[in-house]
Amino acid sequence: MFFGKLSIPTFLHNPDITIHRRHVSSLKVVWRKDSKLDQAIENDKQYKLCARVVKEVLNEPGQVIPLRYLEKRRERLRLNVKIQTFLARNPGLFDTYYDRIKPKSEPVPFLRVSDQLKGFLEDEERINLEHEPWIVSKLCKLLMMSKDKVISADKLVHVKREFGLPNDFMVTLVPKYPNYFRLVGCPGEGKSFLELVDWNPEFAKSRIEQRAEEESRAMGIGVRPNFNVKLPPGFFLRKEMREWVRDWLELDYISPYQDVSHLDQASREMEKRTVGVFHELLSLSLHKRVPVPILGKFCEEYRFSNEFSNVFTRHSGIFYVSLKGGIKTAVLREAYKESELIDRDPLIEIKDNFVQLLEKGWQEKAEVSRMQREDLKQHMEMMAVRNQDLDEQECSEPH
């Protein structure tokens, strides 16, 4: 069921319904499980686990680590199997070799990046360079939506993977664009901030506004910017909530790049703007989903209320909150078709390449296992034939 962009659905157009101006915070919607979107998160579970282990090794001096040191970090990496088991299950990521931790100590197993993983890392660097303008615009957009056009550098570093920012973007990317960014302080060493130097009006256009312009050109008529709302199958809103949604959708769209310092935090207009900011943040994210606690880190910068997470359930036709993995994750519904991501960020190619690297290792492991089974089967068959020949020979010998 769609509504909001060009028209309001008939069930919201009943003239006999009286519109009630309910206080935003008093409107409640029951959370409902969406197994398809949950599956999208589950599908990435193994990829994310492998990415955490790879990141851990890459952050080590020389990008090598004693195997036993990595074993001690399993709990922090949320790895529920031993490192040796993990390596056996995911061949192709690392090579094992022996070296001394101290000059006079006995050699112990070390891990280093494999040639296949080195190739992936080189390709990752190429993709980031190819899409650098898009990365720069993302970073500008994140700053432009904030109330003071400045965000903690440490917070941005913390969410770099969610938005597809390069690992070292503060060191390599930010200094290249002094016309856009000013870094105050040093990330990781006390308070440091990234400031927006210049406002680029080309970046101050949300995904919803871009979509409205594209549809206006295609249809030859003006299309009003608004949210796409798609209620999941079997999901129904109570009468009072339907009334509120109908009324709320008729409000003018408020760009997340617009100054809203004059709006009351509890107003419907501020709710419209807040939904717009979350829509834009999720649209800028790599997988069109972000853990709710990560979004919560930006309450001050983006003027979110303390109860901001209720927005996602209140607008269940726009967002979905998944509880997979024991953490709340806000998902942008329109970016998915069932469990498949259809609104693909250009930088998602990096993730696709990493998954291909993993799958190649899994396939090679499966092929080795298959050949071992066949060799064992052939060996058993040869032993059976040999034993049969021996039995027949014993029977034919005179007693």
Side-chain angles (χ1 to χ4, degrees):
M1 189 177 297
F2 293 87
F3 55 92
K5 187 170 53 178
L6 294 176
S7 61
I8 308 300
T10 54
F11 77 83
L12 294 178
H13 268 309
N14 188 343
D16 296 329
I17 294 176
T18 302
I19 298 176
H20 300 285
R21 305 291 181 178
R22 297 284 307 273
H23 193 279
V24 171
S25 62
S26 69
L27 295 164
K28 305 295 182 183
V29 176
V30 177
W31 177 84
R32 183 181 292 271
K33 179 182 177 66
D34 189 321
S35 59
K36 299 293 186 182
L37 292 179
D38 280 345
Q39 187 60 45
I41 295 176
E42 183 68 22
N43 290 344
D44 283 344
K45 185 177 178 180
Q46 186 63 22
Y47 145 73
K48 288 194 170 183
L49 174 62
C50 292
R52 285 198 299 271
V53 177
V54 168
K55 177 186 175 184
E56 192 72 20
V57 176
L58 292 179
N59 286 339
E60 289 294 306
Q63 298 183 341
V64 299
I65 186 173
L67 190 146
R68 72 187 188 195
Y69 286 8
L70 195 59
E71 179 69 31
K72 292 178 180 179
R73 303 176 192 179
R74 280 201 298 127
E75 184 176 353
R76 178 161 60 81
L77 292 170
R78 303 194 295 280
L79 186 61
N80 58 6
V81 297
K82 291 185 176 182
I83 291 296
Q84 288 281 25
T85 304
F86 171 84
L87 296 175
R89 290 179 179 178
N90 301 282
L93 293 176
F94 306 106
D95 293 333
T96 304
Y97 69 103
Y98 283 80
D99 201 352
R100 291 178 171 85
I101 296 176
K102 297 179 180 179
K104 295 184 179 180
S105 64
E106 290 296 318
V108 296
F110 273 71
L111 295 181
R112 63 186 170 203
V113 174
S114 68
D115 289 341
Q116 298 96 310
L117 186 54
K118 285 180 183 177
F120 161 77
L121 294 172
E122 291 171 359
D123 211 35
E124 178 183 27
E125 189 174 344
R126 175 192 61 79
I127 295 170
N128 280 330
L129 189 59
E130 180 180 330
H131 294 292
E132 189 166 286
W134 170 232
I135 297 171
V136 170
S137 73
K138 271 193 185 191
L139 200 50
C140 284
K141 284 171 174 285
L142 291 174
L143 292 169
M144 291 165 70
M145 281 188 285
S146 66
K147 66 177 182 180
D148 296 319
K149 314 303 176 277
V150 57
I151 296 178
S152 162
D154 290 333
K155 287 184 182 181
L156 289 171
V157 169
H158 183 69
V159 302
K160 62 186 177 183
R161 294 193 179 277
E162 302 297 331
F163 292 95
L165 303 175
N167 288 332
D168 55 356
F169 75 97
M170 280 291 180
V171 177
T172 59
L173 186 71
V174 167
K176 288 174 63 176
Y177 295 89
N179 55 318
Y180 285 135
F181 311 118
R182 180 187 298 115
L183 182 60
V184 179
C186 185
E189 299 180 7
K191 289 187 176 181
S192 59
F193 300 91
L194 189 64
E195 298 178 348
L196 183 73
V197 173
D198 188 34
W199 181 279
N200 187 337
E202 293 183 6
F203 298 157
K205 192 175 293 184
S206 70
R207 180 70 190 97
I208 284 179
E209 290 169 313
Q210 291 172 354
R211 184 170 61 204
E213 288 184 1
E214 292 167 2
E215 293 179 354
S216 294
R217 288 193 295 268
M219 300 174 65
I221 59 173
V223 175
R224 176 174 169 241
N226 214 335
F227 302 100
N228 275 347
V229 181
K230 183 180 181 182
L231 293 175
F235 189 96
F236 299 97
L237 296 177
R238 291 181 301 178
K239 176 183 174 181
E240 59 182 8
M241 192 63 198
R242 293 201 309 268
E243 296 171 3
W244 186 88
V245 170
R246 172 193 61 190
D247 199 24
W248 182 82
L249 281 170
E250 285 294 338
L251 294 173
D252 288 337
Y253 172 77
I254 300 176
S255 171
Y257 302 101
Q258 183 176 330
D259 180 19
V260 292
S261 56
H262 61 286
L263 291 180
D264 178 4
Q265 190 71 35
S267 65
R268 295 181 308 149
E269 289 78 12
M270 192 61 179
E271 174 96 347
K272 191 101 177 189
R273 187 264 178 181
T274 299
V275 172
V277 173
F278 282 130
H279 186 284
E280 186 73 352
L281 286 172
L282 294 181
S283 295
L284 291 172
S285 70
L286 198 60
H287 296 94
K288 313 308 175 195
R289 62 177 191 255
V290 177
V292 172
I294 288 181
L295 293 171
K297 292 180 181 292
F298 296 91
C299 283
E300 183 180 352
E301 288 86 349
Y302 294 130
R303 290 169 55 90
F304 298 149
S305 70
N306 292 333
E307 298 180 345
F308 76 93
S309 61
N310 292 333
V311 167
F312 301 121
T313 49
R314 193 155 53 240
H315 298 276
S316 297
I318 301 172
F319 308 112
Y320 171 62
V321 177
S322 174
L323 305 181
K324 293 295 290 185
I327 186 171
K328 289 183 178 181
T329 301
V331 185
L332 187 60
R333 283 195 182 277
E334 66 186 40
Y336 286 82
K337 183 178 181 181
E338 296 186 339
S339 62
E340 182 182 354
L341 179 65
I342 55 175
D343 185 1
R344 292 174 57 80
D345 190 290
L347 298 169
I348 204 79
E349 182 183 353
I350 294 172
K351 179 237 179 170
D352 292 342
N353 290 349
F354 187 67
V355 170
Q356 288 177 9
L357 172 63
L358 292 175
E359 289 178 342
K360 182 180 179 182
W362 299 337
Q363 290 167 1
E364 290 176 353
K365 179 179 181 291
E367 181 63 19
V368 169
S369 298
R370 185 188 66 80
M371 292 179 65
Q372 289 175 341
R373 288 195 301 271
E374 287 188 358
D375 289 344
L376 179 61
K377 181 181 178 182
Q378 290 178 1
H379 177 71
M380 296 297 291
E381 290 174 349
M382 289 174 63
M383 291 295 293
V385 171
R386 182 182 176 188
N387 290 337
Q388 184 178 358
D389 290 344
L390 289 174
D391 291 342
E392 291 177 354
Q393 187 177 7
E394 287 180 0
C395 291
S396 63
E397 290 179 357
H399 294 283

